[in-house]
Amino acid sequence: MGFEGAMPEISLSINGAPVTGTVEGRTLLVEFIRETMKLTGTHTGCDTSQCGACTVHLDGKAVKSCTMLAVQADGAEVTTIEGLAPEGEMNPMQQAFNDHHGLQCGFCTPGMVMRAMALVADNPDPTEAEVRHGLEGNICRCTGYQNIVAAVLDGAKALRG
Amino acid sequence: MEEFTYTRPATADDATGAHSAAEDAMYMAGGQTLIPVLKQGLAMPTDVVDLNRVGDLAGIQVTGDAVTIGAMTRHAVVAASAEVKGAIPALTVLAGGIGDAQVRNRGTMGGSLANNDPSADYPSAVLGLGATVTTNQREIPADEFFDGMFATNLEDGELIKSVTYPIPEKAGYAKFPNPASRYALVGVFVAKTAGGVRVAVTGAGQDGVFRPAEVEAALSADFSAAALDGVTVPADDLMTDMHAAADYRAHLIVVMAKRAVNQANGQG
Amino acid sequence: MSNVKIGESLRRVEDLRFLTGHGRYIDDINLDGQARAVVVRSPYAHATINSIDTSSVADMDGVLLVVTRDDWQREGFKPMPTKSGVKNNKDGTPLSQPDRHALAIDRVRYVGEPVALVVAETLQQAQDAAEALDVDYDELDAVTDPVKALAPGAPQLWDDIPNNLCLDFELGDKDGTEKAFAEADHVVSLDVLNNRVTAVPIEPRGCIASYDASEDKYTLYNASQNVHANRDTFAEVLNIDPAKLDHIAPDVGGGFGAKNSGYPEPPLCLYAAKRLGRPVKWINSRSESFLSDTHGRGQSSRVELALKADGTFMGLRTTTIGGIGAYAWTVGPFTPTGGSARTQGGPYNFPAMYYSGKAVLTNTAPMDPYRGAGRPEATFQTERIVEYAARKLGFDPIELRRKNLMPKEMLPHKTPMGLDVDSGDFPKLFEMTMDMVAKADQAALKAKAEAAGKKYGFAIAPYLECTGGGPKEHAGVTFNKDGSVELAVGTSSTGMGHETSLAQILAAALGIEMGRVKFQQSDTTATPLGGGHGGSRGMEVGGNAVKQAADEIIELAKPIAARLLQSETEEVDFEDGTFKAGASSVSMNDVIEASQDADKLPEGMEPGCLNHSSVFERGIISIPNGVHAAAVAVDTDTGTVEFLGYWVMDDFGTIINPMLADGQVMGGVAQGIGQAFLEDIVYDPDTGQLVTGSLMDYGLPHADEIPNMEIGYYEGEPTKKNPLGVKGAGEAGCVGACPAVVNAVLDALKDDGVTHIDMPLTPQKVWKAIRDKGAHDPKALLGDAA
């Protein structure tokens, strides 16, 4: 039947490492990631699930970690921006964002990169229109998107090898 | 967010049991509407019964004459389903246009229907195709399921298990998104079935999803976009908000109906 | 040899931490023992506060402190000052500045105004207590529209400010302009709305305050784009010595003006931190941000253009009523007055101009700079009336513009608005833009639109703007023994990439490797003064401060080089990172190394002697200018607009890093497009409640709504107003975008009789304009108020 009482204990994998923790039922996944796990690369930019700054991967799929309870990630594999390039290097998508000036203030960037990675995992060779449409869950206020789109197309190419 | 007791049942029976045992419980399906609602304090249940681990609520079954989709099937799964696309392509169009990619990875058909947001997409498919909603208690025909804005005829604690959509001859869905939220400002589902033409409009009606008689009549005579030239929909019972007044919504219903018909006819 | 040059598109050095999740934004910082604060905000647009009962929450779990107006009055804290560039009414009397306290004292005057600060052990506890705090109000009538607020009988926000008029301003030659209008062959007039919007940086505002009793010292981490000015404001409010307040901005997730102002929350948290003896952290939610961040634009204007029969411009007259919110914020009164006056008339040759503007108090959130602050409004007003006149009088809009641009020979020129236009070549940029557009094949674009059943529209919009913001900037350079070079500057990058561009200027000037430069900004301890960010001043003032410091370091280094070269200081020249005297040479790197070694230094010089600080002061503001052009397809069935092309030619003077300049233009254009089509702050006119209080109703542009832009730069006319020759790039994008895209849509609808639609051009408004066959009252906004 699952959890009784207000403080479930959860076990999951974050960026490949096993993690256990006690949460409240109402604890959001983003709160668990940022406050309990101290992984502050995942950001909160709104409270209505629109900006996408909190995007992480849940079992390989992009989700908004502000619109999911932490307890719902029990048993799942979660990847955050910190898990894309654990050695402090940049992966090809991150490198493409750097090459194309696909970020300015950097606040939407982790969510944008996580979404971009999921997008190209589903569609390794997207068109520009597919990229633009595919980023509809992520808002950037700095770049005007042009360089983000260029970065995603280039990152996709690099990831195709 | 207010505190609540969280339960995570593994079966539908456990879910309904947990719901009825609690003082004021809510089911959580994909949570893409409910979690923001909880965050804003617009709902303060004592208990949240999470349906995400209930085993037999997700999945797609296509038979000769119907597509049955489990309540907890996520929008992304429906959108990507070759089987659904082969049977009722308009359903994949609809599911693929809900929210955004991240929302589609969590949001579910059953959650969307139980909430009956007046600007949600799925209610138009259920009503437009004359689907049947199967719950833990009974089967509810589409025409009897919806009961006005954010309301359905589900009993307290009644759980949607699946929806069975009869496969039409053809169908189409066209949505005009709210420029800010991207919810449907007007969404029109059209279906040509052996039993006749059905049209359902979401996003526009003061009482939620509805069937526009004028559009259905015109398309019943001639299932083509041209048949809708000159057809008007009365604005009286349509919503007005800062994004669209009733007259604009009335106009968009006809425009979106034409686009849905063209899509159904393979012309766009 | 230098590895880097000015003009090179260097990749950004700050990107690595942002892309790997290691940026350090305000909410990423947590101090030991910190408490959490939540602001209790007014639910009413206008109400008397009868009482605040703190006993209602004192016993709640975790509650540590509730700060109210009683504390503020007992402590004798001061109101926050306005620093408006225009301080006097046109009759010479001072502007009416109501007291703006961090907490409402007698009345609340907008929804979201801070009424109390609740501090608790945890955020949840603070939120619960904030919700439970019992505040008793008597609601009063509210007015949110500045035109209505000026009218007789309107609700009065302040007992001592008649008609809610904060500032009544004029600029230009009133009589001369009247004469020009009297002698004109044609006069056209149109009321134009510049819709109220807000910046929505994706990172909400927030701060952490702490107090060290042993040293009587405060530290404030704050998502600010202006730490020095804000420090002075907060210190003034709290009656403390500014030297006792370290103000530090960590990585800031966008600003666009909305993180520039002196906000109430930081002084509240500073006070709470002192009271509690522990750090206090406050982070705004997005919903609260809509209520409490500064808004921008929000001007209703009557624009009048006088022309000769052949289309020659004779005069321009603009009358603006601008809301500024319930108080005169940091520079709020300036924007609809002096800020919008200066660039009236754009790059056109106007013999006569007159501007009058009223800054009006309304029961709405504060108004302060939003990217451009006055120049987007002025450009929009000018370009709309030019387009409108062309349509009305039968001129080709492109030809009418071409005919009236100031010829190059006219420069330098002081406009009738007093703007010192020193350099530029407006006709050349116009033709360069038209050449870019021509390559895109207009006929093909039109055919594409029409094949899709849509209407094609095109417009071109020249703009002329000016820089602003703090005129002084500090750059300090420290050479460390490990070879690293610290560069501390008082500017504040909130995403513009100063960590790269300012380091690039230093590295290029000194001829050292970029990798050696360690950049520091937004720290009042690291730099004694700084102007933060605003007014496109980053490269213009900050860049020149770095350049000046570098040039002075080169002079300081020459005696060292002379000694190494066994020459005389006067014989030493410096170029490309190398000191030369006759045939021998020594690199800057070697000279820097020698500067740390007493044995290698000339007599009287000490190790570390190259460490140097410099303050650059701007003389006259610079004049960025350029041309935007847009091609659109309008779906007349739904009123939606799709872009077919977007072109920009900019004269920003010298371009430091073209890739970063592109980023500024692209982002600015996107914000302009957002304002033109989506963004709209709407208050309920009866209750004063904010209707667009979340991203569900306040639309921001998404990736599929912004076109690719083709961007070019003209560097043939660098300004002589500063050593680098830069003119500023940060705001120009949103200055040019609104008129280009709005006029393009109106071009598409010209055969439908549509002459004007007020922004934002939502699908509904476009559709209604078509349906109503353009029926439009050109005096719709101001009526007889102008």
Side-chain angles (χ1 to χ4, degrees), chain B residues 1-3 40 44 176 178-183 241-249 251-252 255-256 259, chain C residues 124 128 131 635 637-640 678 682 691-692 695-699 702 704-705 763-764 767-768 771:
Chain B
M1 199 188 298
E2 296 293 317
E3 277 184 80
Q40 293 168 69
M44 289 180 277
F176 190 86
N178 177 313
S181 71
R182 300 200 159 193
Y183 277 54
D241 57 32
M242 66 165 283
H243 300 287
D247 60 354
Y248 182 49
R249 279 190 161 93
H251 169 80
L252 285 177
V255 175
M256 291 299 118
R259 292 180 186 184
Chain C
Q124 187 68 51
D128 291 346
E131 199 148 306
D635 177 349
D637 287 337
T638 60
T640 49
L678 289 163
V682 177
V691 177
T692 49
L695 290 173
M696 295 289 283
D697 285 313
Y698 188 89
H702 290 72
D704 55 6
E705 288 163 316
Q764 169 170 254
W767 172 76
K768 281 198 166 149
R771 182 195 63 182

Side-chain angles (χ1 to χ4, degrees), chain B residues 84-106:
Chain B
V84 177
K85 191 170 184 182
I88 315 177
L91 263 187
T92 62
V93 170
L94 178 146
I98 297 172
D100 54 54
Q102 292 96 311
V103 166
R104 292 192 289 275
N105 280 334
R106 292 294 298 166

Side-chain angles (χ1 to χ4, degrees), chain B residues 51-228:
Chain B
L51 302 175
N52 281 276
R53 308 282 170 118
V54 177
D56 51 357
L57 290 182
I60 293 167
Q61 276 190 315
V62 178
T63 61
D65 57 1
V67 173
T68 299
I69 299 178
M72 285 299 292
T73 311
R74 303 194 195 276
H75 305 319
V77 172
V78 176
S81 166
E83 281 182 291
V84 177
K85 191 170 184 182
I88 315 177
L91 263 187
T92 62
V93 170
L94 178 146
I98 297 172
D100 54 54
Q102 292 96 311
V103 166
R104 292 192 289 275
N105 280 334
R106 292 294 298 166
T108 66
M109 180 196 69
S112 172
L113 292 175
N115 189 45
N116 194 23
D117 187 311
S119 54
D121 299 87
Y122 259 117
S124 69
V126 171
L127 191 62
L129 288 167
T132 301
V133 179
T134 301
T135 75
N136 61 320
Q137 298 173 16
R138 56 188 168 142
E139 295 192 339
I140 309 174
D143 291 318
E144 294 167 22
F145 181 79
F146 302 105
D147 189 31
M149 202 179 275
F150 292 108
T152 67
N153 286 315
L154 289 169
E155 302 289 330
D156 186 40
E158 188 173 4
L159 185 65
I160 301 175
K161 297 186 82 170
S162 65
V163 176
T164 300
Y165 300 90
I167 297 174
E169 284 177 34
K170 48 177 97 171
Y173 180 68
K175 160 173 161 176
F176 190 86
N178 177 313
S181 71
R182 300 200 159 193
Y183 277 54
L185 202 65
V186 166
V188 180
F189 199 101
V190 301
K192 186 175 188 203
T193 71
V197 170
R198 289 176 71 100
V199 177
V201 175
T202 191
Q206 286 178 7
D207 295 322
V209 64
F210 71 98
R211 293 171 62 185
E214 304 77 5
V215 177
E216 279 194 357
L219 292 178
S220 295
D222 173 11
F223 196 76
S224 75
L228 294 173

Side-chain angles (χ1 to χ4, degrees), chain C residues 138-203:
Chain C
D138 274 340
E139 198 173 356
L140 301 168
D141 287 341
V143 61
T144 59
D145 178 332
V147 178
K148 288 183 184 152
L150 273 182
Q156 301 292 298
L157 271 74
W158 299 93
D159 296 339
D160 53 351
I161 303 178
N163 303 317
N164 302 309
L165 181 58
C166 170
L167 177 59
D168 189 3
F169 169 87
E170 68 177 353
L171 189 68
D173 179 358
K174 187 178 185 184
D175 294 340
T177 305
E178 265 172 25
K179 186 160 175 282
F181 273 77
E183 291 170 356
D185 296 311
H186 303 293
V187 170
V188 288
S189 172
L190 178 68
D191 284 6
V192 170
L193 176 74
N194 210 285
N195 47 322
R196 182 175 178 131
V197 294
T198 186
V200 201
I202 303 299
E203 179 203 34

Side-chain angles (χ1 to χ4, degrees), chain C residues 325-501:
Chain C
Y327 299 84
W329 273 56
T330 308
V331 296
F334 179 68
T335 305
T337 58
S340 296
R342 293 174 300 179
T343 56
Q344 288 285 330
Y348 302 112
N349 180 11
F350 275 104
M353 277 195 265
Y354 175 71
Y355 180 89
S356 68
K358 290 182 168 71
V360 180
L361 300 156
T362 62
N363 293 109
T364 62
M367 303 284 274
D368 239 353
Y370 170 51
R371 200 172 197 168
R375 291 102 76 197
E377 293 93 320
T379 304
F380 188 71
Q381 288 148 9
T382 303
E383 286 302 316
R384 273 302 296 133
I385 196 66
V386 168
E387 187 83 6
Y388 186 75
R391 292 288 173 224
K392 208 161 167 94
L393 303 176
F395 294 108
D396 179 305
I398 297 170
E399 290 309 321
L400 186 64
R401 289 181 168 87
R402 193 176 257 142
K403 179 185 182 71
N404 283 287
L405 288 170
M406 288 183 226
K408 182 172 167 8
E409 308 78 67
M410 225 179 126
L411 307 187
H413 170 69
K414 188 170 254 187
T415 74
M417 290 285 112
L419 201 65
D420 180 353
V421 184
D422 64 319
S423 60
D425 190 340
F426 309 136
K428 184 167 192 141
L429 264 77
F430 194 89
E431 299 313 327
M432 288 171 89
T433 311
M434 289 305 292
D435 288 347
M436 283 166 91
V437 171
K439 284 188 195 126
D441 191 353
Q442 294 278 300
L445 293 178
K446 187 163 193 261
K448 185 183 164 192
E450 287 169 357
K454 297 179 180 179
K455 293 205 167 171
Y456 177 79
F458 172 82
I460 187 163
Y463 75 88
L464 175 146
E465 61 138 351
C466 60
T467 54
K472 280 189 191 176
E473 196 49 79
H474 176 275
V477 182
T478 307
F479 297 90
N480 294 324
K481 290 210 167 86
D482 66 3
S484 64
V485 182
E486 287 172 29
L487 172 63
V489 186
T491 57
S492 273
S493 173
T494 56
M496 296 78 81
H498 294 175
E499 205 164 328
T500 302
S501 54

